[in-house]
Amino acid sequence: MAICRARVRAGALLSLFRHYSERACSSSPISSNFQNVGFIGLGNMGFRMANNLIRAGFNLAVHDINHGVMKMFSDMGIPAKDSPLDVAESSDVVITMLPSSSHVLDVYTGPNGLLHGGSIVRPLLFIDSSTIDPQTSRKLSAAVSQCALKQEKDDWKKPVMLDAPVSGGVIAAEAGTLTFMVGGSQEAYLSAKPLFHSMGKNTIYCGGAGTGSAAKICNNLAMAVSMLGVSEALALGQSLGIDASTLTQVFNSSSARCWSSDSYNPVPGVMEGVPASRNYAGGFASKLMSKDLNLAAASAKDVGIECPLTSQAGEIYESVCKDGHESEDFSCVFRHHYSGQDEL
């Protein structure tokens, strides 16, 4: 089963795991209808999100195709299950954090998937935090709603699904400061808040099924276009004889100020602690931005909306990826598309 592989180096991952393990030992469990949590997809984001749930006192069971990461959890006494179905059979709620719509569909409906047990399931709640298209989120929500619970609990008469993608990246996942954009039942959203607040600091209810996924792709579309605009302007400024740091000061004191200029500047040497200061290592990979722009373009086509900036941004990121920079942070367009220069 194709599930997200952890992409961080083994040594760094082990060090981070020990750090979380020490923090987890000092935490006391919290009361929750969802005390038994299954987590599927232990990549860069999921690994950190799962560990924050452990720290908060939830009882976790995990699954991933990366056996090395699974062993790290099992060595700490966290059950590592052989399949998504095995996770579902021991969980009150299951959270998935996967790379694409096809991976999510496979985990839910494939062989030994979360819903493979038939029309009766144990989990009260399914939460998908992957970035996927709204249509797939709605399809899975409908499939979950057709199932029955093995055991009804309190006001839960049927299982429910929430689409709850996140914003903030690896840094926020590690710090537990993610923002969750949530679609689905509002009652389920309110019940799940203790889970969200264990992994993030902001939760925004967006509406019915699929609206969380829609909010995420719209957010990433705006982020991509913003980064391209800032990169283009800074590269032009350099060609006109203005230092990027000076022009950044102008932006951040004027109407051009935005996240791409004041918090995630794309010019190496202008800002510390961002991917541009690490040769564009880490952060949000260009290939993921390209994927999300494709999702936005497909959604726009489905509803008959003209989105020319989506198309142009998608072409730029596709080109950057084809040139071999797919694993670099998406702010690398400053260097690889606009030929911008480092700040000395």
Side-chain angles (χ1 to χ4, degrees):
M1 186 172 289
I3 303 173
C4 184
R5 296 181 184 275
R7 300 185 182 93
V8 294
R9 294 181 301 174
L13 192 58
L14 180 58
S15 175
L16 179 63
F17 186 81
R18 287 171 176 164
H19 166 68
Y20 275 115
S21 300
E22 291 169 0
R23 290 160 65 182
C25 290
S26 63
S27 300
S28 58
I30 67 172
S31 176
S32 172
N33 282 332
F34 310 122
Q35 190 63 44
N36 298 307
V37 180
F39 203 105
I40 300 173
L42 303 170
N44 279 343
M45 296 291 291
F47 177 87
R48 291 162 170 83
M49 293 165 68
N51 273 298
N52 279 326
L53 289 169
I54 297 171
R55 181 190 175 203
F58 290 96
N59 300 321
L60 245 67
V62 299
H63 176 70
D64 195 279
I65 59 170
N66 187 310
H67 296 292
V69 177
M70 292 271 281
K71 187 176 186 302
M72 291 180 188
F73 282 91
S74 62
D75 285 348
M76 200 181 79
I78 306 300
K81 301 294 186 176
D82 291 333
S83 71
L85 181 59
D86 290 339
V87 171
E89 290 176 343
S90 65
S91 303
D92 302 318
V93 56
V94 177
I95 301 171
T96 48
M97 187 60 167
L98 302 161
S100 69
S101 300
S102 62
H103 293 93
V104 175
L105 284 170
D106 194 28
V107 164
Y108 272 83
T109 63
N112 291 315
L114 293 170
L115 305 182
H116 189 68
S119 60
I120 301 177
V121 297
R122 173 181 168 173
L124 307 174
L125 179 64
F126 297 86
I127 299 174
D128 181 40
S129 288
S130 315
T131 299
I132 63 174
D133 61 280
Q135 295 84 353
T136 296
S137 293
R138 294 188 180 106
K139 176 181 178 180
L140 289 174
S141 178
V144 168
S145 70
Q146 295 302 309
C147 296
L149 290 172
K150 285 186 177 180
Q151 182 176 355
E152 296 181 5
K153 185 176 181 182
D154 298 331
D155 294 329
W156 294 80
K157 306 303 181 184
K158 281 193 171 185
V160 178
M161 182 177 181
L162 296 174
D163 46 288
V166 302
S167 179
V170 171
I171 294 173
E174 183 171 345
T177 58
L178 292 167
T179 292
F180 286 85
M181 298 154 257
V182 188
S185 159
Q186 188 169 19
E187 292 78 8
Y189 159 72
L190 293 173
S191 297
K193 270 196 167 184
L195 286 163
F196 294 133
H197 288 161
S198 297
M199 300 178 283
K201 68 175 182 179
N202 297 310
T203 60
I204 301 171
Y205 179 67
C206 299
T211 58
S213 294
K216 171 63 174 179
I217 63 173
C218 290
N219 179 80
N220 281 19
L221 163 59
M223 184 170 67
V225 172
S226 170
M227 181 58 73
L228 290 171
V230 167
S231 296
E232 187 171 299
L234 289 169
L236 174 61
Q238 287 181 333
S239 297
L240 296 173
I242 309 172
D243 288 343
S245 57
T246 300
L247 193 51
T248 294
Q249 282 185 286
V250 173
F251 289 175
N252 293 343
S253 301
S254 305
S255 54
R257 181 176 184 175
C258 63
W259 181 80
S260 296
S261 67
D262 72 359
S263 299
Y264 212 81
N265 197 280
V267 183
V270 169
M271 183 177 293
E272 295 182 358
V274 296
S277 70
R278 305 187 297 268
N279 200 32
Y280 300 107
F284 188 66
S286 293
K287 63 183 176 182
L288 297 179
M289 182 58 81
S290 180
K291 180 207 78 170
D292 292 353
L293 288 167
N294 285 334
L295 291 176
S299 294
K301 184 177 181 181
D302 284 343
V303 296
I305 298 294
E306 291 283 337
C307 292
L309 293 181
T310 302
S311 299
Q312 188 168 2
E315 291 172 3
I316 290 173
Y317 276 102
E318 183 179 0
S319 175
V320 167
C321 291
K322 286 182 177 178
D323 287 343
H325 309 292
E326 68 275 5
S327 296
E328 295 179 32
D329 182 75
F330 77 106
S331 61
C332 76
V333 290
F334 172 77
R335 174 184 288 172
H336 300 305
H337 182 73
Y338 293 107
S339 300
Q341 303 299 309
D342 295 6
E343 187 88 339
L344 301 178

